[in-house]
Amino acid sequence: MTTFPTRPPLSSTARTSPTRKPQRYAADREALHAVLDATLVCHVGLLLNGSPLVLPTAHGRDGDTLFLHGSTGSGNVRAAAAGAELCVTATVLDGVVYARSLNDHSMNYRCAVIHGRAALVTGEERKEHALRVLSEHLSPGSWDYARRPNRRELAATHVLALDLDEASVKIRRGDPSLDDADRESHSTWAGVLPVHSVFGAPVPASYVPAGTATPEHVSARVSRRTVRPPS
Amino acid sequence: MTTFPTRPPLSSTARTSPTRKPQRYAADREALHAVLDATLVCHVGLLLNGSPLVLPTAHGRDGDTLFLHGSTGSGNVRAAAAGAELCVTATVLDGVVYARSLNDHSMNYRCAVIHGRAALVTGEERKEHALRVLSEHLSPGSWDYARRPNRRELAATHVLALDLDEASVKIRRGDPSLDDADRESHSTWAGVLPVHSVFGAPVPASYVPAGTATPEHVSARVSRRTVRPPS
């Protein structure tokens, strides 16, 4: 007997349900969180002046809320703030998949797709909280080190909150597919070339006096990968 | 006296013209090519069933044509093949920008945005050429090593050609911005933490017999960065 949970674990609307390769869809909310936490840049899609527009942007997650932000002077940010329907996609490329056939060549990846309309975050305290979440995601430690936004800077920034209600996660991992036609091609290599994203050595700004120590929250990051490897 | 070229070097439609920070826009076609060539994954945005949808996909460039491909069973691929308006965005993250103020924290990046409708590539020869371009971008050397697509596989694949006519390139590089309010904060570090994408050691598929040599077109890639560093 199959039992169904009373609440779908992730989302089961038409636009978040698998149409192909259902085995690649993750059904748990933790997978969604993990992909968002593993990416520094997401791509936000919306309709602007009647045309689709996709732009990269930073994000930060707080529970089941995704925060985005941008200049109040930016057309796409203004459209999102006005309630335009959004599609936010975060992708980690984990490897190039070399199969025995070109048709089975692929990529290993983790990809989260979120649909919805964002709410404008208002009020100084809520806005600062959201900006802190964004800041701690992009540059952990900076919130307590650098100068915090003043009123003028806060006023020039739109902060948006998008609920992680309607979302899907697609993951490809592991071996290249093997077509029956290639099963006996034993001498043909196939495998995965992993892709990692890493931090290099920090480069001080030209205006920083020589000898200024690199703060620990920056230097400690160098030995780490920018994104979490797949589990 | 300012002279104007007879043809704009990249594109000057409303949706490809800077509305903010014009200094970040590259005007030359070489910059567009370079960003596309430096990314293994792009994000394709379109309207599907009335909603924006953004999905990652592979691409390959041949002159001023960008090739995309996907399963004929995929809804978004079918919509693109039917002439839906597309926005294709390719982004390279080059670094996390730590400024003296949180407001000036940013990212160094290179981003290409292309607008247009794709044409379905038909005819076995043209389709194979486009697939070869896609293959040589994702996995150089595989076209001459792995089994090429057969008729059944070709028939199950839509190949799309998008002209690079209407496009923009935005690049941020170099030092963090310095607000006047932070000019005298000499003891506060600021700088850039570079981000690189690198290949790891190849992992053979479980079904490949032990001792099978990794082909040179795969192993030679390991010491290389997956994307070209910024110029």
Side-chain angles (χ1 to χ4, degrees), chain A residues 79-100:
Chain A
E85 204 179 338
L86 306 181
C87 177
V88 178
T89 301
T91 306
V92 185
L93 175 62
D94 285 319
V96 178
V97 175
Y98 292 77
R100 282 182 175 162

Side-chain angles (χ1 to χ4, degrees), chain B residues 197-211:
Chain B
S197 193
V198 295
F199 291 115
V203 180
S206 56
Y207 52 78
V208 168

Side-chain angles (χ1 to χ4, degrees), chain B residues 90-160:
Chain B
T91 306
V92 185
L93 174 62
D94 285 320
V96 178
V97 175
Y98 293 76
R100 282 181 175 162
S101 73
L102 285 153
N103 191 59
D104 283 322
H105 271 54
S106 186
M107 293 191 234
N108 279 344
Y109 63 88
R110 291 164 282 163
C111 178
V113 177
I114 302 140
H115 299 272
R117 297 175 197 272
L120 192 60
V121 177
T122 55
E124 206 165 300
E125 206 172 311
R126 292 177 58 216
K127 216 164 159 176
E128 274 185 353
H129 169 74
L131 287 172
R132 182 179 190 137
V133 169
L134 281 154
S135 172
E136 288 300 297
H137 183 65
L138 176 67
S139 51
S142 282
W143 190 261
D144 287 330
Y145 179 83
R147 177 175 63 74
R148 298 209 182 148
N150 59 35
R151 291 235 159 132
R152 177 182 53 79
E153 291 166 344
L154 275 182
T157 307
H158 270 331
V159 181
L160 301 165

